[in-house]
Amino acid sequence: MALYEHVILARQDISTQQVETLVEQFKTVLEENGGKVGKVEPWGLRTLAYKINKNRKAHYVLLNLDAPHAAVAEMERQMRLNEDILRFMTIRVEELDEEPSVMTQKRDRDDRRRGDRPGGPRGDRGDRGDRGDRNDRGPRRSEAPAE
């Protein structure tokens, strides 16, 4: 069987419980057609880059699939019919990544404070906070020789 990563975008006005119900419904469709779902990773309600069907946000969910093409095609057909699904994308991959995805790792990185960087809160610039000494940039315009 082929391996796929599948991302679903569901409408913003449905609840998290309804999103979980949708995912279970699509898992059932896959399993009935000989496939299986490895990892289900909800990314939560996120802002879209542009409006889709008058929605500014969407519930994102990532699914790792191990299924034949026919099962994925049937799941996608049912997603097209479901009015709660804004978009979906299925990508065939060589191997499934069982670790947390980049989207969930990004949340962990954003939780760090700026002062936790090496070199202190201002990075490598020390305690000055300015853009550096002007002497190494050449003469100022007012100090340039007249031509």
Side-chain angles (χ1 to χ4, degrees):
M1 286 192 280
L3 303 174
Y4 300 93
E5 287 184 352
H6 184 79
V7 178
I8 303 169
L9 276 66
R11 288 186 319 151
Q12 66 184 0
D13 54 344
I14 65 174
S15 69
T16 306
Q17 181 64 35
Q18 289 172 308
V19 172
E20 292 172 3
T21 305
L22 281 174
V23 170
E24 289 302 318
Q25 174 185 345
F26 295 126
K27 279 175 65 173
T28 305
V29 170
L30 275 173
E31 290 166 358
E32 288 174 352
N33 290 299
K36 57 185 172 185
V37 178
K39 173 175 72 171
V40 177
E41 192 173 279
W43 293 344
L45 188 65
R46 302 180 60 88
T47 304
L48 297 169
Y50 54 90
K51 280 185 180 180
I52 301 175
N53 297 338
K54 300 181 182 177
N55 289 283
R56 293 185 183 272
K57 294 185 176 189
H59 293 275
Y60 284 65
V61 181
L62 170 72
L63 305 173
N64 280 352
L65 309 176
D66 184 7
H69 173 72
V72 175
E74 175 61 21
M75 180 185 70
E76 288 180 346
R77 186 187 73 79
Q78 291 193 17
M79 284 187 179
R80 281 188 206 96
L81 298 174
N82 193 322
E83 62 187 26
D84 290 333
I85 303 296
L86 296 175
R87 293 275 197 279
F88 60 87
M89 182 168 54
T90 308
I91 299 174
R92 186 171 180 179
V93 294
E94 294 297 319
E95 63 181 85
L96 294 175
D97 190 13
E98 295 302 324
E99 297 176 13
S101 68
V102 175
M103 295 301 286
T104 55
Q105 290 174 0
K106 182 180 176 193
R107 273 193 212 144
D108 297 339
R109 186 187 71 205
D110 290 343
D111 291 342
R112 292 187 309 178
R113 294 180 316 197
R114 291 187 64 160
D116 293 343
R117 294 188 294 199
R122 295 184 188 257
D124 295 332
R125 296 179 294 179
D127 59 350
R128 288 191 327 265
D130 62 359
R131 295 188 307 179
D133 190 12
R134 288 198 172 265
N135 293 337
D136 59 352
R137 295 188 193 173
R140 291 185 181 171
R141 290 184 190 167
S142 61
E143 296 173 1
E147 294 182 40

